[in-house]
Amino acid sequence: MSSHSLEDLSVFVTVADCGSFTAAAERLAISKSQASKCVGRLERSLGARLLQRTTRRLRLTEAGGTLHQAARTALSSIEEAQAAVSADQMQPRGTLRISAPVSFGAIQLPQVIKQLTQRYPALHFDLVLDDDATDLVAEGIDVAIRIAERVPDSSAVFRRVGVQPRVTCASPAYLKAHGTPREPRDLPSHHCIIHSRLVDARRWAFAMPGSKREYVSVPGNIAVNSILALRSHALADLGVIQISKSIVVDDLRDGRLQELLRDYAVPPLTVFARYPARRLMPPKARVFIDALTEMLADRLVR
């Protein structure tokens, strides 16, 4: 498309939106004759009349109505593409307000934020750590990190950024007192500490050898709504837990907790980044989500 064609199309859309050449010329900061010239040139190039001109008003012809609707969409896409290219050249700056679960914000986010503050000195962070769902618009949240067993409702704007591997574990003192489960079906005879925020919290899933999945109903004499509390209760020798491995990786390495049922993998949780519905994601949000995705992928490989 030539520069004249794009200019003529833009002028035509503005004239149709305003309903007159005079109003369109004022909006575009051009003369009325120039606006008329652009529309006339467009009509000649298409071989179709687009506007019915009367002494009082302009009216779109059938061809003009069809072109007007398609042209508005096309011009909007062009503007969005131009803005996206410009955004790529912008240095992320300002304050990024992030909502995240308490444990994720305390343990995982510092690494990402350290990397971004070193790379983008003009970028600042405001963390809102809360395990409850957040109203992004009401709370002024730019990005909300959520960890779930299932994909969020399709009406939400979200991006899958990674997974959280999980393990089944307990303290050595608990296992000494109650024995070590060898198979998932042994768990109902143990004290299992439940993470009450999960769907089907008392129904633990395991990937069996051969990729078959098995579900075990566990009794759960203790239920907590916090990942950090789940870890603390296991460290207090109170029972068996299923938990994100990143939360207990140091405990497993140092022997404070012991991984159980290694042959029966626990299905991972998925990490999502939710954000307000916008035509374009701000650069500060984009670089954060990209860095988080990279960090989670790196940890998964290791």
Side-chain angles (χ1 to χ4, degrees), residues 222-236:
I222 300 173
V224 298
N225 66 351
S226 160
I227 287 285
L228 296 180
L230 195 67
R231 169 183 175 267
S232 297
H233 281 68
L235 290 172

Side-chain angles (χ1 to χ4, degrees), residues 28-283:
L28 295 170
I30 61 176
S31 67
K32 180 180 176 181
S33 62
Q34 180 64 24
S36 180
K37 178 181 177 181
C38 289
V39 173
R41 186 164 54 205
L42 182 62
E43 288 180 324
R44 288 192 298 275
S45 69
L46 295 174
R49 181 169 293 279
L50 303 175
L51 296 169
Q52 292 287 359
R53 300 165 177 83
T54 68
T55 55
R56 292 190 173 185
R57 57 177 297 182
L58 294 175
R59 179 177 298 171
L60 287 168
T61 64
E62 183 176 353
T66 300
L67 179 63
H68 179 244
Q69 182 176 1
R72 288 190 71 179
T73 301
L75 290 172
S76 177
S77 297
I78 291 171
E79 291 173 0
E80 185 169 338
Q82 291 173 330
V85 172
S86 298
D88 284 339
Q89 308 305 316
M90 290 172 56
Q91 186 82 344
R93 63 181 63 251
T95 298
L96 182 67
R97 190 168 167 83
I98 303 166
S99 170
V102 175
S103 59
F104 192 88
I107 296 173
Q108 309 245 44
L109 285 187
Q111 177 181 330
V112 177
I113 291 175
K114 178 181 179 180
Q115 172 187 332
L116 292 176
T117 53
Q118 292 173 343
R119 188 179 302 173
Y120 306 111
L123 184 57
H124 304 277
F125 297 87
D126 180 6
L127 301 185
V128 181
L129 303 185
D130 193 333
D131 292 327
D132 291 325
T134 303
D135 185 326
L136 304 188
V137 176
E139 298 293 331
I141 301 297
D142 296 299
V143 180
I145 304 302
R146 290 293 171 258
I147 303 172
E149 297 170 283
R150 300 187 177 95
V151 175
D153 186 280
S154 59
S155 63
V157 182
F158 68 90
R159 174 175 153 187
R160 181 183 182 278
V161 296
V163 297
Q164 290 280 277
R166 291 191 290 170
V167 294
T168 305
C169 57
S171 70
Y174 171 84
L175 297 174
K176 183 178 180 180
H178 299 275
T180 301
R182 303 299 177 187
E183 297 179 344
R185 63 185 179 184
D186 296 335
L187 290 173
S189 64
H190 281 266
H191 298 301
C192 295
I193 307 170
I194 304 302
H195 183 204
S196 59
R197 286 190 178 275
L198 294 180
V199 178
D200 293 334
R202 296 180 184 274
R203 191 167 176 254
W204 289 6
F206 294 90
M208 307 293 286
S211 299
K212 180 182 177 182
R213 184 168 291 194
E214 178 177 305
Y215 296 90
V216 177
S217 295
V218 296
N221 60 325
I222 300 173
V224 298
N225 66 351
S226 160
I227 287 285
L228 296 180
L230 195 67
R231 169 183 175 267
S232 297
H233 281 68
L235 290 172
D237 312 323
L238 291 170
V240 180
I241 61 172
Q242 282 192 345
I243 193 169
S244 295
K245 190 172 184 178
S246 61
I247 304 296
V248 295
V249 63
D250 292 337
D251 301 314
L252 295 172
R253 184 192 62 225
D254 297 337
R256 291 185 292 272
L257 293 175
Q258 180 178 325
E259 185 174 353
L260 307 172
L261 307 172
R262 289 177 176 269
D263 293 333
Y264 306 91
V266 183
L269 297 175
T270 304
V271 184
F272 300 94
R274 296 185 68 246
Y275 42 91
R278 293 172 178 157
R279 289 175 60 193
L280 288 174
M281 182 184 295

